[in-house]
């Protein structure tokens, strides 16, 4: 897009690589779970009989479920420390795993508590369930919260997720906030571990209020401040390849956002019915003080509508997010491997990443190579290499095995490798790179699958 977004060589040297805080964050989260178990242990005397064991196990599951709910929301509060230093995709995987744990703990809590109460009262499970739901304080709200959490869990299952729209999935997940609000009173009203324990109650309030503050600041107030300050609008839209379009966004003092090549924003365009959903798209060129650019492939309703945007359309952005940046660089040589529209963050890195850089671009045909002219131009002025892996004349796939990669890129094991593309493509390439001797710590990858 030379008429709107001219190429410019990057002159700034990125900072030295920083150690990821992932280990420390995970240790903190597990320490919190241990503290929850310690709370139950300190508040429990002796456990007697089947009813006591069932009820005790149910209490443990309930406490851990309440803690896990707070962790779930905290992980997706879009805290910069997590999003930019650890990586949005890794945090999303933690969130998905914590979600599965939470649902399992919720089921265990319900089943064990009801079974324990039924054994203690010598009544049927059905009778005990009706008594607990209808007569116990805060239980109707807790039941509503349970239904919501089960709905969120069901829509997160891969088989269901494939058959539902992103918008439906997104809005169902927003109900998680309502579920936590409804369940909080139940935890304090019926949690024996909080009754008469001021320290535990204060800590639980601090946990939930702290998570609420993170959500309010980073998901609401910070984006409002960003968009009021920078006033983003669509500058131009241009076709790059079949079904692939670039959108140039103009704004004020965009350099103050601190965005780096390789990062992404969550975009909401107030045109063509796209204002109801924010979708992550990577920057496909280094950000400038007045312009940013994304390149989008039509894979769904939202991305397909991008090509219809008109200049002047108001834009709402949240970010920057992502850790696929030069900060991860540990070696003087880098290999960038892109599959399909995964070229977008790597196009920006190809221009700015210092040192000896090689780009390998996988596409079906030459016509599918988006931004190819720009890649060639960048390669010329910086003395880098661009390699293409296209299907053969009969549709045969190119050889991207470990041996082929080693033959194509000398000293491959001494390179940092930045990898971006569809999930299956990335998995295959990761396995090939490991087999070729590239250490795991030098393979940098982010996936934006939801």
């Amino acid at each position: 897009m030379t008429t709107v977004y001219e190429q410019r060589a990057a002159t700034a040297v990125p900072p030295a690589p920083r150690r990821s805080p992932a280990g420390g964050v995970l240790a903190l989260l597990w320490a919190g779970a241990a503290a929850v178990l310690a709370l139950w242990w300190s508040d429990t005397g002796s456990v007697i009989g089947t009813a006591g064991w069932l009820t005790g196990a149910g209490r443990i599951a309930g406490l851990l479920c309440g803690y896990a709910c707070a962790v779930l929301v905290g992980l997706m509060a879009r805290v910069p420390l997590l999003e930019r230093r650890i990586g949005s995709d890794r945090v999303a995987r933690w969130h998905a795993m914590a979600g599965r744990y939470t649902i399992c703990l919720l089921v265990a809590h319900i089943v064990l508590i009801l079974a324990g109460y039924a054994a203690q009262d010598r009544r049927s499970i059905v009778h005990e369930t009706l008594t607990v739901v209808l007569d116990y304080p805060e239980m109707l709200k807790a039941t509503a919260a349970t239904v919501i959490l089960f709905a969120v869990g069901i829509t997160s299952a891969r088989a269901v997720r494939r058959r539902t729209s992103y918008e439906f999935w997104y809005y169902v997940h927003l109900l998680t906030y309502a579920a936590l609000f409804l369940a909080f009173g139940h935890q304090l009203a019926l949690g024996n571990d909080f009754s008469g324990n001021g320290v535990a109650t204060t800590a639980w309030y601090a946990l939930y209020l702290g998570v609420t503050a993170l959500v309010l600041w980073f998901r609401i107030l910070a984006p409002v401040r960003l968009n009021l300050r920078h006033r983003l609008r669509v500058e131009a839209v241009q076709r790059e390849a079949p079904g692939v379009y670039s959108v140039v966004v103009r704004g004020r003092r965009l350099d103050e956002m601190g965005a780096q090549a390789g990062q992404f924003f969550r975009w909401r365009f107030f045109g063509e019915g796209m204002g109801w959903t924010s979708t992550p798209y990577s920057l496909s060129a280094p950000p400038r003080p007045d312009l940013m650019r994304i390149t989008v492939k039509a894979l769904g309703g939202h991305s397909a509508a991008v090509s219809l945007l008109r200049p002047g359309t108001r834009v709402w952005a949240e970010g920057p997010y992502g850790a696929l940046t030069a900060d991860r660089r540990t070696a003087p040589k880098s290999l960038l491997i892109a599959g399909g529209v995964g070229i977008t963050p790597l196009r920006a890195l190809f221009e700015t990443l210092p040192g000896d850089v090689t780009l390998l671009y996988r596409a079906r045909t030459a016509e599918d190579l988006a931004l190819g002219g720009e890649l060639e131009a960048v390669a010329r002025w910086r003395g880098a290499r661009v390699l293409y892996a296209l299907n053969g004349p009969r549709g045969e796939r190119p050889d991207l095995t470990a041996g082929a990669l080693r033959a194509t890129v000398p000293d491959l094991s001494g390179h940092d490798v930045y990898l971006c593309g569809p999930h299956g493509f990335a998995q295959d390439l990761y396995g090939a790179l490991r087999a070729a001797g590239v250490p795991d710590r030098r393979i940098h990858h982010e996936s934006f699958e939801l």
Side-chain angles (χ1 to χ4, degrees):
M1 301 190 64
T2 55
T3 58
V4 178
Y5 206 108
E6 292 132 356
Q7 257 170 231
R8 297 185 178 184
T11 57
V13 178
R18 295 181 294 176
R19 185 180 180 85
S20 170
V25 172
L26 284 176
L28 181 63
L29 295 179
W30 284 112
V36 169
L37 290 175
L39 171 63
W40 175 84
W41 181 268
S42 65
D43 193 56
T44 302
S46 57
V47 180
I48 302 172
T50 301
W53 282 105
L54 289 171
T55 305
R59 285 172 54 200
I60 292 174
L63 286 169
L64 288 174
C65 181
Y67 171 72
C69 284
V71 170
L72 273 178
V73 175
L75 287 175
M76 298 311 288
R78 299 176 187 166
V79 179
L81 174 68
L82 305 180
E83 298 283 337
R84 303 176 192 175
R85 296 286 304 282
I86 296 175
S88 299
D89 66 327
R90 191 173 184 184
V91 174
R93 288 195 296 271
W94 290 357
H95 173 81
M97 183 179 296
R100 290 190 285 271
Y101 287 152
T102 301
I103 295 299
C104 290
L105 288 168
L106 179 59
V107 172
H109 170 64
I110 294 170
V111 172
L112 292 168
I113 283 290
L114 290 176
Y117 285 179
Q120 178 180 302
D121 297 339
R122 301 179 187 277
R123 293 174 177 172
S124 69
I125 289 288
V126 174
H127 184 280
E128 199 64 40
T129 299
L130 291 174
T131 300
V132 168
V133 172
L134 298 177
D135 297 341
Y136 282 39
E138 299 287 339
M139 273 308 303
L140 287 176
K141 289 193 290 185
T143 302
T146 300
V147 172
I148 292 173
L149 289 175
F150 280 145
V152 172
I154 291 170
T155 56
S156 298
R158 190 175 295 272
V160 177
R161 178 67 189 92
R162 289 197 205 100
R163 292 170 171 79
T164 57
S165 67
Y166 170 78
E167 290 78 9
F168 177 79
W169 174 89
Y170 176 78
Y171 286 113
V172 169
H173 272 65
L174 286 182
L175 294 175
T176 303
Y177 299 123
L180 266 62
F181 176 78
L182 291 170
F184 185 73
H186 158 72
Q187 296 174 47
L188 295 180
L190 296 180
N192 292 339
D193 303 282
F194 299 110
S195 179
N197 189 335
V199 174
T201 301
T202 301
W204 211 249
Y205 267 107
L207 173 65
Y208 273 76
L209 289 176
V211 168
T212 301
L214 291 177
V215 171
L216 288 174
W217 180 256
F218 292 113
R219 295 201 65 157
I220 299 176
L221 298 179
V224 168
R225 177 179 179 273
L226 180 150
N227 286 278
L228 289 177
R229 181 178 182 84
H230 299 291
R231 300 185 180 277
L232 305 174
R233 291 187 180 273
V234 172
E235 176 75 6
V237 178
Q238 180 168 329
R239 183 181 181 274
E240 303 288 358
V244 180
Y245 290 83
S246 285
V247 180
V248 176
V249 175
R250 181 176 292 278
R252 303 185 305 179
R253 302 190 297 272
L254 301 186
D255 52 327
E256 296 177 7
M257 289 183 172
Q260 300 181 55
Q263 291 188 309
F264 68 95
F265 287 77
R266 295 181 181 273
W267 303 90
R268 192 185 304 268
F269 298 99
F270 293 99
E272 304 303 328
M274 302 170 67
W276 294 102
T277 307
S278 65
T279 305
Y281 297 126
S282 297
L283 298 176
S284 62
R288 286 173 36 181
D290 58 339
L291 296 175
M292 295 189 294
R293 190 185 72 180
I294 60 174
T295 302
V296 180
K297 183 176 178 62
L299 298 173
H302 189 279
S303 54
V306 164
S307 64
L308 305 176
L309 290 172
R310 298 178 180 275
T313 300
R314 288 174 46 238
V315 180
W316 182 276
E318 300 173 36
Y321 302 125
L324 195 70
T325 66
D327 290 351
R328 288 190 174 186
R329 177 175 169 268
T330 62
K333 297 180 180 181
S334 300
L335 170 64
L336 313 181
I337 305 179
V341 77
I343 189 63
T344 53
L346 301 191
R347 153 64 184 92
L349 279 171
F350 190 49
E351 182 174 336
T352 59
L353 200 63
D356 185 338
V357 181
T358 299
L359 172 65
L360 175 61
Y361 189 179
R362 167 76 175 104
R364 289 191 182 90
T365 67
E367 188 181 24
D368 295 319
L369 294 172
L371 308 173
E374 293 184 12
L375 298 174
E376 296 287 351
V378 171
R380 283 194 297 271
W381 66 251
R382 68 169 299 166
R385 288 199 301 163
V386 180
L387 308 173
Y388 301 107
L390 306 177
N391 289 354
R394 297 181 180 177
E396 58 269 25
R397 298 168 67 86
D399 184 3
L400 294 178
T401 59
L405 291 173
R406 279 197 301 263
T408 302
V409 183
D411 186 28
L412 177 60
S413 61
H415 285 63
D416 276 301
V417 181
Y418 290 79
L419 177 60
C420 191
H423 182 67
F425 167 84
Q427 278 192 321
D428 292 344
L429 262 295
Y430 177 83
L433 290 166
R434 294 292 288 122
V438 182
D440 179 74
R441 69 180 184 279
R442 285 188 174 171
I443 302 175
H444 315 303
H445 169 248
E446 279 191 338
S447 170
F448 306 117
E449 287 195 344
L450 298 171

